[in-house]
Amino acid sequence: MPKPKSTALTRRAMLKTGAAALAMPALLHHTRAYAQSPTIKIGHVSPRTGPLAGFAEADDYVLEGIRAAFAGGIENNGRRFEVEIISRDSQSNPNRAAEVAADLILGDEVDIIVAASTPDTTNPVADQAEINEVPCITTDCPWQPYFFGRNGNPTQPFKYTYHFFWGLEDVIAAFLDLWSQQGVAKVVGGLFPNDADGNAWGDPELGFPPALEANGFDLVDLGRYQPLSDDFSSHISAFRDAGCEIVTGNMIPPDFGTFWAQSAQQGFKPKIVSIGKALLFPSAIESLGSRGNGLTSEIWWTPDHPFGSSLTGQSARELAEGYTAATGRPWTQPIGFKHALFEVVNNVLTRAADLDDTDSILEAIRQTRMPSMVGPVDWSTGPVANVSKTPLVAGQWQQDAAGKFTLVVTSNATAPDIPVTGELMLLG
């Protein structure tokens, strides 16, 4: 039997009692009113504003396409359900993400909730879903900061929360392959902020340090810096003195902009700079001018990826070009993953045995085996029960004679099905 949801714990009560209330579960679940066309509610959380807003730049375009795809509803066991998507802005703030997730769950009574864009969004949303016993699917965050950042235990997996993306082992392998192409010195400067991503990338057991050592690289790591730092002089001096020809790390765009400007001022000229997060977006690269040319990054998704949508039938290139045509802006990597979130939701909701039973929806998530815009999604493959991995490659921003930047794949050893589209050039 469905579990009715209590309305005793209201949004007003939660806001009154603060953080403690955010940790309290809803005790009961709602019963769907059996109208002729009942409605499935999907909650959606992403950072529309704030320093992570680049991750959500394409949200309006993606949601418009998804709502059009769902306009006729979905079919489940011979019955048609209307679909309502309720989207909320986390403002790039983990506390705000938790608040709006709780509001969607307890106020809007969503049936399933999705979220994307770094641990600052995925983790608080997933935590609220786990506490309040609502199915949740997330993406756009390496799986280690998502899983271990929430104190996940591989032997006791989460029940309600599931994630698809690549892991630190994938970005490490992609970067090592990238760095081995040009014979540069194996001395690496590390830039790891004191946040969930930075602590994971710099973790002495699971992050870059042990992998670099095992592959003969020396890492110069001064410890975790505070995000939005205005002075990287100590890092630059240490990297220059150690002869670092490679710089890597995970930074928000303002921090990398500060570091890169100060590197120029202080005469530090590495040959390869591979930075996660900060170098994902064309706008961030364009803001650097000619000093953006040759910077390298992990690559999650491009128009050349050989995947398509199980929901709309679009190819990766059609989705990317559609975004550019509609907005006048270049495509961005999160577009494919934002679209794929709703592909997975559609797949799950059409297969679930009973959409009024949370356990049926969860079982459908666990049994997911599907192609998507970003590659296969399959929670039976691990590395832990709540995670399905997607392919990852690496590449470089290259500027043409007209000043236009293009992100080209220069290393695909970790995912040979994704084509190489350019050759790595050293900086300077």
Side-chain angles (χ1 to χ4, degrees):
M1 292 289 292
K3 300 175 237 181
K5 182 182 287 185
S6 169
T7 58
L9 184 58
T10 64
R11 178 177 185 274
R12 181 177 300 173
M14 293 190 73
L15 294 177
K16 185 182 293 184
T17 53
L22 290 178
M24 294 174 61
L27 300 178
L28 300 170
H29 295 267
H30 73 285
T31 300
R32 193 185 315 283
Y34 268 73
Q36 184 173 0
S37 295
T39 298
I40 291 286
K41 292 184 178 181
I42 305 170
H44 171 253
V45 181
S46 78
R48 297 291 192 95
T49 57
L52 300 177
F55 285 88
E57 178 183 317
D59 275 12
D60 287 340
Y61 173 77
V62 171
L63 288 174
E64 180 182 3
I66 295 299
R67 288 188 171 112
F70 283 147
I74 62 169
E75 290 282 346
N76 175 278
N77 291 316
R79 194 147 183 254
R80 182 162 293 278
F81 290 77
E82 301 296 325
V83 177
E84 179 182 1
I85 300 171
I86 308 170
S87 184
R88 296 285 183 266
D89 179 14
S90 73
Q91 300 174 3
S92 301
N93 184 304
N95 294 328
R96 175 66 177 173
E99 180 185 331
V100 298
D103 193 12
L104 286 166
I105 292 167
L106 301 170
D108 294 294
E109 297 189 336
V110 296
D111 298 281
I112 189 168
I113 190 166
V114 299
S117 309
T118 86
D120 288 337
T121 314
T122 60
N123 291 17
V125 172
D127 285 344
Q128 286 302 306
E130 192 73 27
I131 290 167
N132 289 295
E133 302 181 356
V134 172
C136 175
I137 300 170
T138 53
T139 191
D140 285 15
C141 165
W143 74 263
Q144 288 93 339
Y146 162 83
F147 188 80
F148 295 114
R150 300 174 55 220
N151 298 314
N153 183 341
T155 64
Q156 296 178 320
F158 298 110
K159 180 177 180 182
Y160 295 91
T161 50
Y162 294 82
H163 187 75
F164 64 97
F165 207 56
W166 43 266
L168 295 179
E169 69 278 20
D170 302 305
V171 70
I172 291 168
F175 279 4
L176 288 175
D177 183 57
L178 182 84
W179 300 340
S180 69
Q181 294 180 11
Q182 294 285 357
V184 298
K186 290 189 170 185
V187 186
V188 181
L191 290 164
F192 306 118
N194 186 22
D195 61 17
D197 270 333
N199 290 326
W201 282 52
D203 187 272
E205 296 181 4
L206 300 174
F208 271 76
L212 293 181
E213 182 180 1
N215 285 274
F217 288 81
D218 293 327
L219 175 64
V220 179
D221 180 5
L222 301 191
R224 306 302 148 257
Y225 73 85
Q226 290 305 310
L228 297 176
S229 175
D230 61 2
D231 186 4
F232 287 92
S233 296
S234 59
H235 291 81
I236 293 167
S237 178
F239 296 167
R240 185 176 54 228
D241 292 347
C244 293
E245 293 193 350
I246 302 169
V247 173
T248 195
N250 186 288
M251 311 175 80
I252 58 175
D255 286 346
F256 179 76
T258 300
F259 165 78
W260 200 223
Q262 292 176 356
S263 293
Q265 294 163 4
Q266 298 174 35
F268 175 52
K269 299 178 180 180
K271 294 182 179 180
I272 299 177
V273 175
S274 302
I275 301 292
K277 191 185 295 186
L279 306 183
L280 293 173
F281 305 111
S283 57
I285 297 298
E286 290 165 358
S287 72
L288 299 172
S290 61
R291 283 185 58 76
N293 189 31
L295 296 173
T296 54
S297 176
E298 80 278 17
I299 298 179
W300 325 344
W301 181 84
T302 74
D304 293 306
H305 274 48
F307 308 125
S309 172
S310 62
L311 180 58
T312 65
Q314 292 169 289
S315 67
R317 180 158 298 280
E318 287 170 335
L319 180 64
E321 291 180 348
Y323 171 74
T324 297
T327 66
R329 296 193 294 268
W331 60 270
T332 65
Q333 296 188 50
I335 293 174
F337 283 85
K338 297 299 180 72
H339 181 95
L341 265 179
F342 293 96
E343 286 186 77
V344 177
V345 169
N346 176 68
N347 183 278
V348 166
L349 295 179
T350 56
R351 287 186 297 104
D354 182 356
L355 290 182
D356 285 295
D357 180 14
T358 297
D359 287 340
S360 291
I361 296 175
L362 293 173
E363 182 60 20
I365 294 175
R366 286 190 289 267
Q367 296 299 320
T368 298
R369 316 277 191 280
M370 62 171 288
S372 81
M373 181 62 74
V374 297
V377 178
D378 180 351
W379 275 286
S380 71
T381 59
V384 293
N386 303 98
V387 171
S388 173
K389 291 216 303 179
T390 55
L392 183 72
V393 291
Q396 187 171 51
W397 289 99
Q398 297 182 355
Q399 189 176 32
D400 63 20
K404 179 182 177 181
F405 285 99
T406 301
L407 181 62
V408 298
V409 175
T410 63
S411 170
N412 72 345
T414 51
D417 290 345
I418 297 169
V420 168
T421 57
E423 183 177 345
L424 180 69
M425 304 180 302
L426 296 182
L427 293 171

Short mmCIF file of all heavy atoms in Angstrom, two decimals, residues 57-62 64-65 314 317-331 335:
data_model
loop_
_atom_site.label_atom_id
_atom_site.label_comp_id
_atom_site.label_asym_id
_atom_site.label_seq_id
_atom_site.Cartn_x
_atom_site.Cartn_y
_atom_site.Cartn_z
N GLU A 57 24.07 27.36 -16.81
CA GLU A 57 23.85 28.32 -17.90
C GLU A 57 22.82 27.82 -18.90
O GLU A 57 22.04 28.61 -19.45
CB GLU A 57 25.18 28.59 -18.60
CG GLU A 57 25.11 29.52 -19.78
CD GLU A 57 26.45 29.69 -20.46
OE1 GLU A 57 27.47 29.82 -19.74
OE2 GLU A 57 26.49 29.66 -21.70
N ALA A 58 22.81 26.52 -19.14
CA ALA A 58 21.91 25.97 -20.17
C ALA A 58 20.60 25.43 -19.59
O ALA A 58 19.82 24.82 -20.32
CB ALA A 58 22.62 24.85 -20.93
N ASP A 59 20.34 25.68 -18.31
CA ASP A 59 19.14 25.10 -17.68
C ASP A 59 17.85 25.47 -18.40
O ASP A 59 16.99 24.62 -18.62
CB ASP A 59 19.05 25.52 -16.22
CG ASP A 59 19.86 24.61 -15.30
OD1 ASP A 59 20.66 23.81 -15.82
OD2 ASP A 59 19.68 24.71 -14.08
N ASP A 60 17.69 26.75 -18.72
CA ASP A 60 16.44 27.18 -19.35
C ASP A 60 16.23 26.44 -20.67
O ASP A 60 15.11 25.96 -20.95
CB ASP A 60 16.45 28.69 -19.60
CG ASP A 60 16.28 29.49 -18.33
OD1 ASP A 60 15.78 28.93 -17.33
OD2 ASP A 60 16.65 30.68 -18.32
N TYR A 61 17.29 26.34 -21.46
CA TYR A 61 17.18 25.65 -22.75
C TYR A 61 16.87 24.16 -22.56
O TYR A 61 15.98 23.61 -23.22
CB TYR A 61 18.47 25.81 -23.54
CG TYR A 61 18.49 24.99 -24.82
CD1 TYR A 61 17.78 25.40 -25.94
CD2 TYR A 61 19.20 23.80 -24.88
CE1 TYR A 61 17.79 24.65 -27.11
CE2 TYR A 61 19.22 23.05 -26.05
CZ TYR A 61 18.51 23.47 -27.15
OH TYR A 61 18.52 22.70 -28.29
N VAL A 62 17.58 23.52 -21.66
CA VAL A 62 17.37 22.09 -21.43
C VAL A 62 15.96 21.84 -20.89
O VAL A 62 15.24 20.94 -21.38
CB VAL A 62 18.43 21.52 -20.47
CG1 VAL A 62 18.08 20.09 -20.07
CG2 VAL A 62 19.80 21.55 -21.13
N GLU A 64 13.30 23.64 -21.19
CA GLU A 64 12.29 23.89 -22.24
C GLU A 64 12.13 22.65 -23.12
O GLU A 64 11.01 22.23 -23.44
CB GLU A 64 12.69 25.10 -23.07
CG GLU A 64 11.69 25.43 -24.17
CD GLU A 64 12.14 26.62 -25.02
OE1 GLU A 64 13.24 27.16 -24.79
OE2 GLU A 64 11.37 27.00 -25.93
N GLY A 65 13.27 22.05 -23.50
CA GLY A 65 13.20 20.86 -24.34
C GLY A 65 12.60 19.67 -23.61
O GLY A 65 11.83 18.88 -24.19
N GLN A 314 17.67 13.08 -30.21
CA GLN A 314 18.73 13.98 -30.66
C GLN A 314 20.10 13.35 -30.49
O GLN A 314 20.34 12.60 -29.54
CB GLN A 314 18.70 15.28 -29.86
CG GLN A 314 17.50 16.17 -30.07
CD GLN A 314 17.47 17.27 -29.02
OE1 GLN A 314 17.20 17.02 -27.85
NE2 GLN A 314 17.74 18.50 -29.44
N ARG A 317 25.53 16.24 -31.12
CA ARG A 317 25.73 17.45 -31.93
C ARG A 317 24.43 18.22 -32.11
O ARG A 317 24.42 19.47 -32.04
CB ARG A 317 26.32 17.08 -33.29
CG ARG A 317 26.57 18.29 -34.18
CD ARG A 317 27.59 18.02 -35.26
NE ARG A 317 28.89 17.68 -34.69
CZ ARG A 317 29.76 18.58 -34.23
NH1 ARG A 317 29.45 19.88 -34.27
NH2 ARG A 317 30.92 18.20 -33.75
N GLU A 318 23.34 17.53 -32.30
CA GLU A 318 22.05 18.23 -32.47
C GLU A 318 21.66 18.98 -31.19
O GLU A 318 21.15 20.11 -31.25
CB GLU A 318 20.97 17.24 -32.86
CG GLU A 318 21.09 16.76 -34.29
CD GLU A 318 20.16 15.60 -34.61
OE1 GLU A 318 19.76 14.85 -33.69
OE2 GLU A 318 19.83 15.43 -35.81
N LEU A 319 21.91 18.39 -30.04
CA LEU A 319 21.59 19.07 -28.78
C LEU A 319 22.47 20.30 -28.61
O LEU A 319 21.98 21.39 -28.26
CB LEU A 319 21.79 18.12 -27.60
CG LEU A 319 21.50 18.70 -26.21
CD1 LEU A 319 20.03 19.07 -26.08
CD2 LEU A 319 21.90 17.71 -25.12
N ALA A 320 23.76 20.17 -28.87
CA ALA A 320 24.69 21.29 -28.71
C ALA A 320 24.38 22.41 -29.70
O ALA A 320 24.34 23.60 -29.34
CB ALA A 320 26.12 20.81 -28.88
N GLU A 321 24.17 22.05 -30.96
CA GLU A 321 23.90 23.07 -31.97
C GLU A 321 22.54 23.72 -31.75
O GLU A 321 22.36 24.91 -32.05
CB GLU A 321 24.01 22.46 -33.36
CG GLU A 321 25.45 22.08 -33.73
CD GLU A 321 25.58 21.48 -35.12
OE1 GLU A 321 24.53 21.14 -35.72
OE2 GLU A 321 26.72 21.35 -35.61
N GLY A 322 21.59 22.96 -31.23
CA GLY A 322 20.29 23.54 -30.91
C GLY A 322 20.42 24.61 -29.84
O GLY A 322 19.77 25.67 -29.90
N TYR A 323 21.27 24.35 -28.84
CA TYR A 323 21.49 25.33 -27.78
C TYR A 323 22.12 26.60 -28.35
O TYR A 323 21.68 27.72 -28.05
CB TYR A 323 22.40 24.73 -26.71
CG TYR A 323 22.85 25.74 -25.68
CD1 TYR A 323 21.97 26.20 -24.70
CD2 TYR A 323 24.15 26.25 -25.70
CE1 TYR A 323 22.38 27.13 -23.77
CE2 TYR A 323 24.56 27.18 -24.76
CZ TYR A 323 23.67 27.62 -23.80
OH TYR A 323 24.08 28.55 -22.88
N THR A 324 23.13 26.44 -29.19
CA THR A 324 23.80 27.60 -29.78
C THR A 324 22.85 28.41 -30.66
O THR A 324 22.84 29.64 -30.62
CB THR A 324 25.03 27.16 -30.57
OG1 THR A 324 25.96 26.54 -29.67
CG2 THR A 324 25.72 28.33 -31.23
N ALA A 325 22.03 27.71 -31.43
CA ALA A 325 21.09 28.40 -32.31
C ALA A 325 20.05 29.17 -31.50
O ALA A 325 19.64 30.28 -31.87
CB ALA A 325 20.41 27.40 -33.23
N ALA A 326 19.62 28.60 -30.38
CA ALA A 326 18.57 29.22 -29.57
C ALA A 326 19.08 30.38 -28.73
O ALA A 326 18.34 31.33 -28.45
CB ALA A 326 17.93 28.18 -28.67
N THR A 327 20.35 30.32 -28.33
CA THR A 327 20.87 31.30 -27.37
C THR A 327 21.94 32.22 -27.92
O THR A 327 22.22 33.27 -27.33
CB THR A 327 21.46 30.58 -26.14
OG1 THR A 327 22.62 29.83 -26.55
CG2 THR A 327 20.43 29.63 -25.52
N GLY A 328 22.58 31.81 -29.02
CA GLY A 328 23.71 32.57 -29.54
C GLY A 328 24.98 32.37 -28.75
O GLY A 328 25.98 33.04 -28.99
N ARG A 329 24.97 31.41 -27.82
CA ARG A 329 26.15 31.14 -26.98
C ARG A 329 26.75 29.79 -27.36
O ARG A 329 26.06 28.90 -27.85
CB ARG A 329 25.77 31.13 -25.50
CG ARG A 329 25.27 32.48 -24.99
CD ARG A 329 25.22 32.51 -23.48
NE ARG A 329 24.24 31.59 -22.94
CZ ARG A 329 22.98 31.92 -22.66
NH1 ARG A 329 22.55 33.15 -22.90
NH2 ARG A 329 22.16 31.04 -22.15
N PRO A 330 28.05 29.61 -27.12
CA PRO A 330 28.67 28.31 -27.41
C PRO A 330 28.15 27.23 -26.47
O PRO A 330 27.73 27.52 -25.34
CB PRO A 330 30.17 28.57 -27.21
CG PRO A 330 30.24 29.77 -26.34
CD PRO A 330 29.03 30.60 -26.64
N TRP A 331 28.19 25.99 -26.93
CA TRP A 331 27.76 24.87 -26.10
C TRP A 331 28.66 24.74 -24.87
O TRP A 331 29.82 25.18 -24.87
CB TRP A 331 27.77 23.56 -26.90
CG TRP A 331 29.12 23.18 -27.44
CD1 TRP A 331 29.64 23.54 -28.65
CD2 TRP A 331 30.13 22.41 -26.78
NE1 TRP A 331 30.91 23.02 -28.79
CE2 TRP A 331 31.25 22.33 -27.66
CE3 TRP A 331 30.20 21.77 -25.54
CZ2 TRP A 331 32.41 21.63 -27.33
CZ3 TRP A 331 31.36 21.08 -25.21
CH2 TRP A 331 32.44 21.01 -26.09
N ILE A 335 25.55 20.59 -20.56
CA ILE A 335 24.29 20.45 -21.30
C ILE A 335 23.89 18.99 -21.42
O ILE A 335 22.74 18.61 -21.18
CB ILE A 335 24.40 21.09 -22.70
CG1 ILE A 335 24.56 22.60 -22.60
CG2 ILE A 335 23.16 20.75 -23.55
CD1 ILE A 335 24.81 23.27 -23.94
#
